[in-house]
Amino acid sequence: MAEKGIVTELKDNNIAYIKMKRTEACAKCRACVSGLSEQDMFIDAENDCDASVGQWVELEFDNNGFFYAVLIMYGIPFVALISGILLGYYAIAPLLPFVSKEILSCVVGLGFTALVYLWIRSQEDRWSSKKYRPIAKRITTPPEKDE
């Protein structure tokens, strides 16, 4: 089922800033810290239905784009963490016998992870395409109380 939200602002490049209620499924996901609260969510979406400010729209999420976004934000850093731990433990720690292998491998793993997150952040413009962004497909009516 498509999610509903209200357009609060129109931006350049056919982007709408949309306010939507956090659904029960979103609240249970806990993938983000904002999922822990009962507040509204604000997201940018492609304005394919030419909605104007104050109109309710149905948002659709491309499942493929969502999968790739999750892979970018969680998969790549996980690989960097494990690679850093292994590199620190088996390659760098033998060169520094006076340092604890476990602590050194942890520091190197976290360092690799931080570098990967910085790289992901630097590539944000490249990945902010329509493929990874929700799409406002249709103008609709406000949600009912049970929606």
Side-chain angles (χ1 to χ4, degrees):
M1 182 177 146
E3 299 292 330
K4 290 184 179 182
I6 188 167
V7 178
T8 58
E9 181 184 341
L10 295 175
K11 298 181 177 181
D12 295 336
N13 300 330
N14 201 32
I15 303 296
Y17 192 61
I18 298 175
K19 174 183 168 182
M20 54 190 294
K21 290 280 187 204
R22 188 167 282 111
T23 61
E24 187 177 327
C26 182
K28 289 182 180 179
C29 169
R30 308 264 193 242
C32 65
V33 175
S34 62
L36 298 174
S37 65
E38 296 296 326
Q39 300 172 357
D40 295 328
M41 291 190 312
F42 295 89
I43 59 171
D44 289 336
E46 294 287 329
N47 190 5
D48 282 2
C49 61
D50 294 323
S52 56
V53 174
Q55 288 184 312
W56 284 86
V57 294
E58 283 188 5
L59 296 168
E60 291 183 1
F61 301 89
D62 182 11
N63 289 336
N64 251 357
F66 178 75
F67 173 74
Y68 288 124
V70 168
L71 181 65
I72 290 167
M73 286 306 299
Y74 297 106
I76 295 173
F78 178 72
V79 170
L81 176 67
I82 299 301
S83 300
I85 288 172
L86 293 174
L87 180 71
Y89 194 84
Y90 292 110
I92 298 173
L95 301 175
L96 304 169
F98 53 88
V99 178
S100 169
K101 285 183 173 185
E102 293 81 11
I103 292 174
L104 182 66
S105 64
C106 180
V107 169
V108 172
L110 292 175
F112 271 39
T113 305
L115 289 174
V116 165
Y117 272 120
L118 290 173
W119 175 75
I120 289 171
R121 180 74 174 160
S122 74
Q123 301 297 312
E124 194 171 279
D125 290 337
R126 178 178 163 201
W127 290 328
S128 65
S129 69
K130 193 174 188 175
K131 183 166 61 168
Y132 304 107
R133 183 180 292 147
I135 303 166
K137 282 288 191 183
R138 287 172 290 287
I139 296 173
T140 187
T141 58
E144 300 294 323
K145 294 272 188 215
D146 59 341
E147 281 188 277

